[in-house]
Amino acid sequence: MGKQNVILYGVNSITEQLLGTFPNATLVTTRGGELSQNRMAVSIKQIQASGIASFDKVIICSMFVDDIANTLLDAGFPLEKLFFYNIASCQIESCIDAVSPQINTDSTLYVVYDTKLNLPCYDALSFTAVAEAERKRLGLKHIHFVIIPKYSTDDKLAFCSNYPLQEHTWRIRNIVKPIFESLGSVVGVTELTSRQESKHILGDKKFIFPDDFLATDTGIAFGLAKLQQYDNIETNMPELSISAFAKQLVNNLIQSYGAENKKLLTFTFRNTQTHPERNSDTAPWQTFIEELDFDKYLPVVMRDTIECTSKPMFSDKVIELPAASINFALRLAFYDAAYINFSASSGPSFAYYFIPGCSSIRFTPVSESHFATSKSNVEKTGISTSKREQFFAHNGLHQVILEQETYESISTAFDTQISRLEGSN
């Protein structure tokens, strides 16, 4: 390539640095007249007068890329000639590759997440999947979630009837929002401070789900069962997006343990103060995991969020990963990368069914000893207690076992899953 005629737009320390790479560059600012290394910048008008076409590249040396790029476009510079110095990566990058998508509200589904009816927990996974199915049914491009609080500006009282206020807020911001944001079609998540604000946010929107919210001031709690109402959902399940940065973190861990040739296994456990009757029985899991062939498998354990700072429960051959217990994007990346994902009565494990090609074994005991594990409640979530295969286990690589886990049942399911995986290959 021949010598390029380059413009450095802006005069600052970045410009001084880039002059080392482009010593013959022309310095330009809006009005001109600034000095850098005894060289004076010229104005945009002067550049226009001398001829824009003679310049091959403009490098914006400023944080205000949006304003400057639009000024240059208005002045007649083509977008493909515009670049900027990224102060985060310290690299020169193309403006055309960094253009943000423009959002049309008429092609956006505004989904109401009403906290009067929806608990701030991993049930939001099923809710998110239903919202995505509805978006696809309507043929829209984007989703904007609107989180509606219990609180009202009128005289009616709201009660923290499930979680204390601080925990409720933490769960919204660290569980619910990250789940919503993991959907590739999502362009926004708005958390309102009162129910009355919904009229200002949603009043002029064309597509709202549920569509009668403004009239009734009542949302809906959507679960997996709702998905069955959508045509061909078995072969067209909603999909969560895996963060490229989170994938890199997974690769970093695998490389740091020299485990590139090992098969990743994840284990997700439940152990909370809410419905302790449903907590994982860790004894059989400990036996199974400690007996794995560590030359062949790399086990990664994700304990419940409340236990992420607790003392490790396994030997040092087993990786316990607190970061994945509190970071949903990282959790998803591990689920996506795993050969097999194991779970025992865990809310986050519903994510398995919204990751293409995911492989999983999930124990979901059915017992009338507690309302949360009763047959009626389990079926209300969308799990059939009478069918061997579940409609959401669409890729043939998911086992949903409706019994309490034991060492024997875990081992049997493991052998079955390996046969399925080898058969699918």
XYZ file of all heavy atoms in Angstrom, residues 198-285:
705
model
N -45.345 3.805 34.753
C -45.558 2.938 33.591
C -46.360 3.641 32.501
O -46.143 3.403 31.309
C -46.271 1.651 34.015
O -47.550 1.943 34.552
N -47.270 4.536 32.885
C -48.080 5.244 31.887
C -47.211 6.167 31.039
O -47.451 6.338 29.844
C -49.186 6.035 32.580
C -50.205 5.153 33.291
C -51.268 5.973 33.991
C -52.267 5.069 34.714
N -53.294 5.868 35.442
N -46.190 6.759 31.657
C -45.307 7.657 30.914
C -44.373 6.864 29.990
O -44.061 7.309 28.884
C -44.484 8.501 31.885
C -45.318 9.330 32.815
N -46.056 10.404 32.395
C -45.550 9.224 34.158
C -46.697 10.940 33.418
N -46.398 10.240 34.502
N -43.957 5.680 30.440
C -43.027 4.867 29.647
C -43.746 4.112 28.536
O -43.252 4.008 27.401
C -42.287 3.864 30.559
C -41.460 4.607 31.610
C -41.397 2.930 29.741
C -40.328 5.424 31.043
N -44.932 3.587 28.856
C -45.619 2.686 27.927
C -46.780 3.327 27.179
O -47.315 2.736 26.235
C -46.151 1.468 28.702
C -45.113 0.635 29.459
C -45.805 -0.406 30.327
C -44.163 -0.037 28.483
N -47.181 4.520 27.590
C -48.405 5.130 27.067
C -48.498 5.229 25.558
O -49.575 5.056 24.982
N -47.381 5.516 24.869
C -47.424 5.688 23.413
C -46.821 4.512 22.654
O -46.573 4.606 21.451
C -46.704 6.972 23.018
C -45.223 6.942 23.401
O -44.841 6.075 24.224
O -44.462 7.787 22.897
N -46.573 3.395 23.352
C -45.921 2.258 22.699
C -46.945 1.387 21.970
O -48.046 1.148 22.450
C -45.138 1.435 23.732
C -44.052 2.233 24.448
C -43.076 2.858 23.462
C -41.929 3.582 24.146
N -42.331 4.844 24.785
N -46.536 0.883 20.824
C -47.432 0.131 19.955
C -47.614 -1.306 20.415
O -48.709 -1.875 20.334
C -46.883 0.158 18.528
C -47.814 -0.418 17.482
C -47.240 -0.216 16.082
C -48.163 -0.760 15.010
N -47.604 -0.557 13.644
N -46.530 -1.929 20.909
C -46.582 -3.333 21.300
C -46.181 -3.485 22.773
O -45.040 -3.198 23.143
C -45.659 -4.179 20.423
C -46.034 -4.176 18.971
C -45.355 -3.377 18.068
C -47.081 -4.969 18.513
C -45.699 -3.374 16.728
C -47.441 -4.967 17.173
C -46.754 -4.163 16.283
N -47.140 -3.926 23.604
C -46.913 -4.131 25.034
C -47.338 -5.560 25.368
O -48.327 -6.071 24.833
C -47.720 -3.133 25.886
C -47.341 -1.687 25.527
C -47.503 -3.386 27.374
C -48.216 -0.650 26.191
N -46.588 -6.205 26.234
C -46.904 -7.586 26.628
C -46.830 -7.698 28.141
O -45.775 -7.416 28.723
C -45.902 -8.529 25.966
C -46.183 -9.999 26.164
C -47.413 -10.551 25.842
C -45.189 -10.835 26.667
C -47.649 -11.905 26.006
C -45.418 -12.189 26.837
C -46.657 -12.717 26.496
N -47.942 -8.037 28.833
C -49.262 -8.331 28.267
C -49.942 -7.067 27.743
O -49.734 -5.977 28.277
C -50.029 -8.916 29.455
C -49.365 -8.333 30.662
C -47.920 -8.202 30.302
N -50.742 -7.205 26.689
C -51.256 -6.031 25.982
C -52.315 -5.256 26.747
O -52.651 -4.134 26.368
C -51.793 -6.430 24.605
C -52.866 -7.511 24.670
O -53.353 -7.797 25.784
O -53.208 -8.073 23.615
N -52.839 -5.828 27.842
C -53.856 -5.118 28.615
C -53.299 -4.499 29.893
O -54.065 -4.106 30.776
C -55.016 -6.056 28.949
C -54.605 -7.227 29.846
O -53.370 -7.431 30.024
O -55.485 -7.937 30.349
N -51.973 -4.404 30.002
C -51.402 -3.940 31.270
C -51.847 -2.526 31.634
O -52.207 -2.258 32.782
C -49.876 -3.995 31.235
C -49.245 -3.429 32.481
C -49.245 -4.158 33.654
C -48.726 -2.137 32.496
C -48.699 -3.630 34.824
C -48.183 -1.599 33.655
C -48.177 -2.356 34.819
N -51.826 -1.609 30.686
C -52.181 -0.223 31.001
C -53.637 -0.112 31.450
O -53.982 0.751 32.269
C -51.928 0.673 29.792
C -50.451 0.932 29.470
C -50.325 1.761 28.202
C -49.749 1.622 30.631
N -54.486 -0.981 30.940
C -55.898 -0.936 31.321
C -56.149 -1.599 32.673
O -57.006 -1.155 33.452
C -56.746 -1.615 30.244
N -55.397 -2.642 32.967
C -55.655 -3.416 34.190
C -54.678 -3.122 35.317
O -54.955 -3.449 36.475
C -55.586 -4.917 33.875
O -54.247 -5.244 33.440
C -56.584 -5.290 32.782
N -53.517 -2.540 34.978
C -52.437 -2.325 35.950
C -52.033 -3.638 36.615
O -51.669 -3.689 37.781
C -52.850 -1.306 37.029
C -51.666 -0.891 37.906
O -50.547 -0.739 37.362
O -51.845 -0.749 39.139
N -52.090 -4.711 35.844
C -51.737 -6.039 36.370
C -50.949 -6.807 35.313
O -51.410 -6.972 34.177
C -52.995 -6.849 36.732
O -53.766 -6.098 37.680
C -52.609 -8.184 37.349
N -49.768 -7.273 35.702
C -48.957 -8.077 34.807
C -49.330 -9.538 34.891
O -50.374 -9.900 35.442
N -48.474 -10.381 34.344
C -48.689 -11.829 34.355
C -47.373 -12.509 34.711
O -46.305 -12.032 34.337
C -49.178 -12.335 32.977
C -50.532 -11.708 32.628
C -49.313 -13.854 32.961
C -51.054 -12.116 31.258
N -47.458 -13.625 35.434
C -46.269 -14.433 35.727
C -46.205 -15.562 34.710
O -47.026 -16.480 34.735
C -46.334 -14.989 37.148
N -45.268 -15.469 33.773
C -45.151 -16.474 32.726
C -44.156 -17.551 33.122
O -43.055 -17.250 33.574
C -44.679 -15.837 31.419
C -45.627 -14.812 30.871
C -45.245 -13.491 30.756
C -46.898 -15.183 30.464
C -46.114 -12.543 30.242
C -47.774 -14.243 29.947
C -47.380 -12.918 29.835
N -44.529 -18.826 32.935
C -43.627 -19.935 33.201
C -43.401 -20.765 31.948
O -43.914 -20.453 30.869
N -42.651 -21.845 32.093
C -42.369 -22.717 30.957
C -43.645 -23.247 30.303
O -43.696 -23.432 29.094
C -41.514 -23.905 31.417
C -40.004 -23.720 31.452
C -39.348 -24.979 32.013
C -39.460 -23.416 30.069
N -44.677 -23.471 31.109
C -45.917 -24.020 30.565
C -46.501 -23.113 29.489
O -47.103 -23.585 28.517
C -46.935 -24.221 31.681
N -46.324 -21.810 29.631
C -46.841 -20.847 28.656
C -46.215 -21.060 27.281
O -46.849 -20.816 26.245
C -46.560 -19.430 29.159
C -46.936 -18.312 28.197
C -48.421 -18.138 28.058
C -48.751 -16.923 27.194
N -50.188 -16.741 26.992
N -44.961 -21.533 27.259
C -44.266 -21.729 25.985
C -44.983 -22.720 25.082
O -44.896 -22.641 23.859
C -42.838 -22.216 26.226
C -41.798 -21.181 26.636
C -40.460 -21.854 26.875
C -41.659 -20.089 25.584
N -45.686 -23.670 25.680
C -46.360 -24.702 24.884
C -47.479 -24.131 24.021
O -47.943 -24.782 23.095
C -46.904 -25.796 25.801
C -45.809 -26.631 26.454
C -46.363 -27.747 27.304
O -46.877 -27.502 28.387
N -46.278 -28.967 26.818
N -47.902 -22.912 24.315
C -48.968 -22.299 23.537
C -48.468 -21.735 22.203
O -49.259 -21.305 21.372
C -49.637 -21.187 24.349
C -50.278 -21.681 25.625
C -50.907 -20.548 26.423
O -51.160 -19.467 25.921
N -51.170 -20.809 27.700
N -47.137 -21.711 22.033
C -46.575 -21.167 20.801
C -46.297 -22.286 19.805
O -45.776 -23.341 20.170
C -45.287 -20.391 21.102
C -45.549 -19.125 21.884
C -45.618 -19.146 23.267
C -45.742 -17.912 21.229
C -45.876 -17.993 23.994
C -45.993 -16.753 21.940
C -46.066 -16.798 23.318
O -46.324 -15.653 24.031
N -46.621 -22.053 18.552
C -46.458 -23.072 17.511
C -44.993 -23.452 17.336
O -44.104 -22.600 17.339
C -46.998 -22.552 16.172
C -48.509 -22.358 16.208
O -49.161 -23.012 17.043
O -49.018 -21.551 15.407
N -44.767 -24.748 17.164
C -43.426 -25.277 16.863
C -42.378 -24.891 17.892
O -41.200 -24.781 17.576
C -42.972 -24.809 15.467
C -43.928 -25.239 14.373
O -44.397 -26.368 14.389
N -44.223 -24.340 13.455
N -42.786 -24.674 19.141
C -41.820 -24.222 20.144
C -40.781 -25.300 20.433
O -39.646 -25.011 20.812
C -42.542 -23.786 21.441
C -41.608 -22.943 22.318
C -43.067 -24.990 22.212
C -41.187 -21.640 21.699
N -41.153 -26.585 20.213
C -40.207 -27.664 20.489
C -38.962 -27.558 19.605
O -37.861 -27.918 20.012
C -40.862 -29.030 20.281
C -41.973 -29.356 21.270
C -43.338 -28.878 20.804
O -43.375 -28.053 19.861
O -44.349 -29.296 21.382
N -39.145 -27.087 18.390
C -38.006 -26.986 17.473
C -37.526 -25.553 17.293
O -36.610 -25.301 16.517
C -38.387 -27.560 16.089
O -39.549 -26.872 15.609
C -38.675 -29.050 16.191
N -38.162 -24.609 17.985
C -37.795 -23.205 17.842
C -37.754 -22.533 19.207
O -38.355 -21.482 19.418
C -38.786 -22.501 16.915
C -38.330 -21.118 16.505
O -37.135 -20.834 16.477
N -39.275 -20.243 16.230
N -37.048 -23.162 20.144
C -36.966 -22.622 21.497
C -36.215 -21.291 21.495
O -35.254 -21.105 20.742
C -36.240 -23.610 22.412
C -37.090 -24.796 22.817
S -38.367 -24.385 24.037
C -37.381 -24.255 25.524
N -36.627 -20.353 22.343
C -35.870 -19.104 22.503
C -34.439 -19.406 22.915
O -34.169 -20.393 23.619
C -36.627 -18.380 23.617
C -38.012 -18.931 23.555
C -37.849 -20.369 23.163
N -33.507 -18.567 22.476
C -32.095 -18.802 22.749
C -31.474 -17.626 23.489
O -31.714 -16.468 23.146
C -31.329 -19.031 21.436
C -31.780 -20.274 20.691
C -31.034 -20.455 19.375
O -30.117 -19.648 19.103
O -31.357 -21.403 18.632
N -30.668 -17.952 24.504
C -29.907 -16.937 25.218
C -28.578 -16.711 24.505
O -28.030 -17.619 23.883
C -29.655 -17.383 26.663
C -30.912 -17.581 27.520
C -30.532 -18.108 28.900
C -31.700 -16.282 27.651
N -28.076 -15.497 24.605
C -26.818 -15.135 23.950
C -25.656 -15.332 24.926
O -25.753 -14.963 26.097
C -26.887 -13.673 23.487
O -25.680 -13.270 22.902
N -24.569 -15.901 24.438
C -23.391 -16.142 25.276
C -22.386 -15.011 25.046
O -21.963 -14.762 23.921
C -22.733 -17.496 24.950
C -23.787 -18.614 24.923
C -21.641 -17.809 25.964
C -24.522 -18.821 26.213
N -22.021 -14.338 26.104
C -21.084 -13.216 26.024
C -19.713 -13.684 25.530
O -19.156 -14.665 26.040
C -20.942 -12.563 27.399
O -19.740 -11.842 27.523
N -19.165 -12.958 24.543
C -17.832 -13.293 24.026
C -16.779 -13.138 25.115
O -15.829 -13.932 25.209
C -17.496 -12.403 22.828
N -16.942 -12.128 25.956
C -15.982 -11.916 27.045
C -16.060 -13.056 28.057
O -15.028 -13.548 28.534
C -16.249 -10.578 27.733
C -15.311 -10.276 28.870
C -13.967 -10.041 28.630
C -15.773 -10.235 30.178
C -13.094 -9.767 29.681
C -14.901 -9.963 31.230
C -13.561 -9.732 30.973
N -17.276 -13.502 28.372
C -17.436 -14.620 29.304
C -16.844 -15.897 28.722
O -16.237 -16.703 29.440
C -18.914 -14.814 29.643
N -16.999 -16.109 27.400
C -16.380 -17.269 26.753
C -14.867 -17.237 26.928
O -14.232 -18.272 27.172
C -16.722 -17.283 25.265
C -18.129 -17.736 24.930
C -18.291 -17.819 23.415
C -19.668 -18.297 23.019
N -19.806 -18.398 21.547
N -14.298 -16.041 26.800
C -12.855 -15.910 26.956
C -12.431 -16.268 28.377
O -11.399 -16.904 28.588
C -12.407 -14.490 26.619
C -10.903 -14.266 26.696
C -10.128 -15.181 25.769
O -10.402 -15.243 24.573
N -9.167 -15.915 26.313
N -13.239 -15.882 29.361
C -12.929 -16.220 30.751
C -12.966 -17.736 30.968
O -12.144 -18.285 31.714
C -13.912 -15.519 31.695
C -13.827 -13.993 31.754
C -14.880 -13.440 32.717
C -12.431 -13.531 32.182
N -13.920 -18.403 30.324
C -13.980 -19.866 30.414
C -12.723 -20.475 29.814
O -12.092 -21.371 30.403
C -15.233 -20.401 29.699
C -15.194 -21.935 29.633
C -16.497 -19.935 30.400
N -12.332 -19.988 28.639
C -11.114 -20.493 27.997
C -9.887 -20.233 28.850
O -8.979 -21.075 28.924
C -10.940 -19.846 26.622
C -11.973 -20.321 25.614
O -12.493 -21.424 25.746
N -12.281 -19.498 24.637
N -9.850 -19.072 29.500
C -8.719 -18.740 30.378
C -8.600 -19.758 31.508
O -7.503 -20.204 31.858
C -8.874 -17.339 30.966
C -8.704 -16.239 29.929
O -8.275 -16.512 28.804
N -9.034 -15.030 30.288
N -9.749 -20.120 32.099
C -9.721 -21.091 33.205
C -9.240 -22.447 32.705
O -8.394 -23.088 33.347
C -11.109 -21.211 33.825
C -11.206 -22.214 34.986
C -12.047 -21.649 36.119
C -11.791 -23.547 34.532
N -9.771 -22.894 31.579
C -9.387 -24.194 31.032
C -7.884 -24.231 30.752
O -7.186 -25.197 31.087
C -10.194 -24.495 29.757
C -11.664 -24.739 30.134
C -9.626 -25.705 29.018
C -12.587 -24.856 28.941
N -7.365 -23.164 30.159
C -5.941 -23.109 29.848
C -5.084 -23.032 31.101
O -4.013 -23.640 31.175
C -5.663 -21.908 28.936
C -6.247 -22.048 27.540
C -6.157 -20.771 26.734
O -5.466 -19.834 27.120
N -6.862 -20.719 25.609
N -5.564 -22.299 32.107
C -4.770 -22.155 33.329
C -4.629 -23.472 34.080
O -3.675 -23.674 34.826
C -5.398 -21.096 34.245
O -6.645 -21.534 34.749
N -5.592 -24.397 33.859
C -5.515 -25.723 34.478
C -4.930 -26.760 33.516
O -4.898 -27.947 33.842
C -6.900 -26.178 34.950
C -7.306 -25.563 36.267
C -7.919 -24.311 36.308
C -7.056 -26.207 37.478
C -8.293 -23.732 37.520
C -7.430 -25.644 38.689
C -8.042 -24.398 38.698
O -8.401 -23.827 39.896
N -4.480 -26.306 32.348
C -3.931 -27.238 31.365
C -4.923 -28.304 30.972
O -4.564 -29.471 30.776
N -6.197 -27.899 30.842
C -7.274 -28.877 30.642
C -7.883 -28.810 29.251
O -9.051 -29.170 29.063
C -8.361 -28.645 31.695
N -7.088 -28.377 28.267
C -7.618 -28.242 26.909
C -8.144 -29.569 26.357
O -9.053 -29.574 25.521
C -6.537 -27.690 25.972
C -6.143 -26.249 26.233
C -5.048 -26.113 27.271
O -4.745 -27.116 27.972
O -4.480 -25.019 27.392
N -7.593 -30.681 26.798
C -7.996 -31.997 26.283
C -8.965 -32.727 27.212
O -9.272 -33.900 26.992
C -6.763 -32.862 26.038
C -5.858 -32.282 24.963
O -6.338 -31.758 23.960
N -4.553 -32.341 25.187
N -9.429 -32.017 28.242
C -10.385 -32.624 29.159
C -11.808 -32.175 28.830
O -12.010 -31.141 28.188
C -10.042 -32.243 30.607
C -8.705 -32.785 31.088
C -8.469 -32.415 32.552
C -7.123 -32.916 33.036
N -6.879 -32.592 34.467
N -12.780 -32.950 29.285
C -14.183 -32.611 29.076
C -14.716 -31.891 30.317
O -14.604 -32.384 31.434
C -14.993 -33.877 28.799
C -14.617 -34.525 27.464
C -15.408 -35.794 27.210
C -15.049 -36.375 25.837
N -15.763 -37.641 25.557
N -15.280 -30.711 30.064
C -15.778 -29.874 31.154
C -17.126 -30.393 31.647
O -18.044 -30.644 30.859
C -15.921 -28.432 30.653
C -16.526 -27.416 31.613
C -15.616 -27.205 32.819
C -16.752 -26.091 30.890
N -17.244 -30.558 32.965
C -18.502 -30.929 33.607
C -18.852 -29.829 34.605
O -18.002 -29.415 35.392
C -18.389 -32.260 34.344
C -17.891 -33.479 33.573
C -17.792 -34.683 34.513
C -18.809 -33.804 32.398
N -20.097 -29.338 34.580
C -20.506 -28.358 35.589
C -21.540 -28.978 36.527
O -22.325 -29.852 36.123
C -21.103 -27.087 34.962
O -22.434 -27.359 34.477
C -20.220 -26.540 33.852
N -21.526 -28.508 37.763
C -22.454 -28.989 38.786
C -23.070 -27.773 39.475
O -22.353 -26.946 40.043
C -21.720 -29.864 39.803
C -21.130 -31.110 39.213
C -19.883 -31.080 38.599
C -21.827 -32.305 39.245
C -19.333 -32.216 38.041
C -21.290 -33.462 38.687
C -20.036 -33.420 38.082
N -24.391 -27.654 39.407
C -25.091 -26.516 39.991
C -25.961 -27.005 41.132
O -26.849 -27.852 40.932
C -25.964 -25.811 38.928
O -25.133 -25.358 37.851
C -26.677 -24.614 39.528
N -25.708 -26.466 42.320
C -26.428 -26.918 43.513
C -27.331 -25.831 44.067
O -27.136 -24.642 43.821
C -25.438 -27.364 44.593
C -24.581 -28.533 44.195
C -23.237 -28.574 44.519
C -25.120 -29.585 43.471
C -22.446 -29.641 44.157
C -24.337 -30.666 43.099
C -22.996 -30.700 43.439
N -28.303 -26.277 44.844
C -29.224 -25.361 45.517
C -29.082 -25.543 47.018
O -29.146 -26.663 47.517
C -30.673 -25.654 45.095
C -31.692 -24.685 45.675
C -33.107 -25.112 45.343
N -34.064 -24.037 45.548
C -34.565 -23.685 46.731
N -34.208 -24.345 47.816
N -35.427 -22.694 46.828
N -28.910 -24.450 47.739
C -28.844 -24.517 49.201
C -29.177 -23.145 49.768
O -28.302 -22.349 50.077
C -27.458 -24.964 49.673
C -27.423 -25.224 51.171
O -28.476 -25.355 51.795
N -26.236 -25.258 51.745
N -30.470 -22.857 49.884
C -30.906 -21.551 50.361
C -31.781 -21.695 51.600
O -32.211 -22.796 51.959
C -31.711 -20.817 49.278
O -32.979 -21.465 49.118
C -30.980 -20.801 47.952
N -32.046 -20.564 52.218
C -32.944 -20.562 53.375
C -34.401 -20.583 52.929
O -35.296 -20.846 53.729
C -32.668 -19.316 54.222
C -31.271 -19.301 54.829
C -30.983 -18.031 55.594
O -31.759 -17.081 55.542
N -29.871 -17.998 56.313
N -34.644 -20.301 51.645
C -35.995 -20.351 51.101
C -36.296 -21.783 50.667
O -35.594 -22.347 49.834
C -36.120 -19.419 49.884
O -35.689 -18.120 50.250
C -37.551 -19.370 49.390
N -37.321 -22.387 51.232
C -37.687 -23.778 50.951
C -36.482 -24.717 51.128
O -36.040 -25.380 50.184
C -38.224 -23.925 49.525
C -39.317 -22.978 49.176
N -40.385 -22.717 50.024
C -39.521 -22.206 48.073
C -41.187 -21.841 49.453
N -40.684 -21.502 48.273
N -35.915 -24.791 52.328
C -34.742 -25.655 52.536
C -35.020 -27.119 52.230
O -34.087 -27.893 51.983
C -34.407 -25.441 54.017
C -35.679 -24.943 54.639
C -36.359 -24.132 53.567
N -36.299 -27.509 52.228
C -36.656 -28.895 51.907
C -36.228 -29.266 50.486
O -36.086 -30.439 50.152
C -38.175 -29.108 52.052
C -38.714 -28.859 53.456
C -39.046 -27.393 53.709
O -38.687 -26.530 52.860
O -39.659 -27.091 54.743
N -36.022 -28.246 49.641
C -35.657 -28.491 48.246
C -34.151 -28.443 48.022
O -33.686 -28.647 46.895
C -36.335 -27.443 47.346
C -37.839 -27.457 47.420
C -38.403 -26.253 46.693
N -37.991 -26.222 45.289
C -38.088 -25.152 44.507
N -38.552 -24.028 44.999
N -37.697 -25.212 43.248
N -33.390 -28.190 49.059
C -31.945 -28.056 48.892
C -31.304 -29.360 48.433
O -31.804 -30.456 48.700
C -31.304 -27.597 50.201
C -31.577 -26.131 50.486
O -32.004 -25.386 49.609
N -31.327 -25.710 51.720
N -30.173 -29.218 47.747
C -29.462 -30.376 47.212
C -28.887 -31.240 48.330
O -28.373 -30.724 49.324
C -28.322 -29.906 46.301
O -28.790 -29.055 45.280
N -28.987 -32.540 48.143
C -28.309 -33.483 49.032
C -26.893 -33.649 48.482
O -26.670 -34.363 47.506
C -29.055 -34.820 49.029
C -28.409 -35.840 49.950
O -27.420 -35.483 50.636
O -28.879 -36.988 49.978
N -25.941 -32.974 49.097
C -24.595 -32.922 48.508
C -23.795 -34.204 48.697
O -22.808 -34.417 47.985
C -23.806 -31.738 49.098
O -23.780 -31.851 50.526
C -24.437 -30.410 48.691
N -24.194 -35.064 49.628
C -23.407 -36.274 49.909
C -23.204 -37.149 48.670
O -22.065 -37.510 48.340
C -24.049 -37.062 51.044
N -24.257 -37.538 47.947
C -24.031 -38.384 46.761
C -23.244 -37.652 45.669
O -22.479 -38.293 44.930
C -25.444 -38.740 46.295
C -26.330 -37.690 46.885
C -25.703 -37.325 48.186
N -23.422 -36.362 45.591
C -22.671 -35.591 44.601
C -21.179 -35.578 44.929
O -20.328 -35.700 44.037
C -23.198 -34.159 44.524
C -24.561 -34.057 43.911
C -25.746 -33.831 44.551
C -24.881 -34.192 42.525
N -26.785 -33.812 43.658
C -26.286 -34.033 42.400
C -24.137 -34.448 41.383
C -26.945 -34.106 41.179
C -24.778 -34.514 40.157
C -26.171 -34.350 40.067
